[in-house]
């Protein structure tokens, strides 16, 4: 993948920072107290479900 030649303006960087901070706060509130092992397990399960769903959808085309 080649590097993008697009760049954010100063206003874009400010907005991006604001959005990233808000998402970070929400993520911490939602996932912050869950054990890492549980998050890892959930990630593996969701990855497997996504792979299976994609395989089913690919077969339906």
């Amino acid at each position: 993948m080649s590097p993008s030649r697009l760049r954010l303006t100063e206003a874009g960087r400010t907005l991006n920072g604001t959005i990233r901070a808000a998402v970070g706060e929400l993520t911490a509130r939602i996932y912050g107290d869950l054990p890492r092992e549980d998050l890892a397990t959930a990630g593996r399960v969701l990855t497997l479900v996504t792979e299976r769903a994609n395989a089913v959808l690919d077969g339906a085309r």
Side-chain angles (χ1 to χ4, degrees), residues 2 21 30-32 35 53-54:
S2 63
I30 294 168
Y31 297 104
N54 286 336

Side-chain angles (χ1 to χ4, degrees), residues 40-59:
T41 299
R44 287 190 302 274
V45 170
L46 291 172
T47 297
L48 179 59
V49 168
T50 300
E51 289 170 357
R52 289 180 180 182
N54 286 336
V56 167
L57 291 173
D58 284 344

Side-chain angles (χ1 to χ4, degrees), residues 3-61:
S4 174
R5 294 169 59 188
L6 298 176
R7 300 289 181 250
L8 291 174
T9 63
E10 185 60 37
R13 283 189 290 277
T14 300
L15 179 58
N16 182 265
T18 300
I19 293 169
R20 289 177 61 108
V23 169
E25 290 173 18
L26 288 172
T27 300
R29 288 175 56 193
I30 294 168
Y31 297 104
D33 64 342
L34 296 174
R36 286 190 174 274
E37 300 81 25
D38 291 350
L39 292 172
T41 299
R44 287 190 302 274
V45 170
L46 291 172
T47 297
L48 179 59
V49 168
T50 300
E51 289 170 357
R52 289 180 180 182
N54 286 336
V56 167
L57 291 173
D58 284 344
R61 293 181 187 164

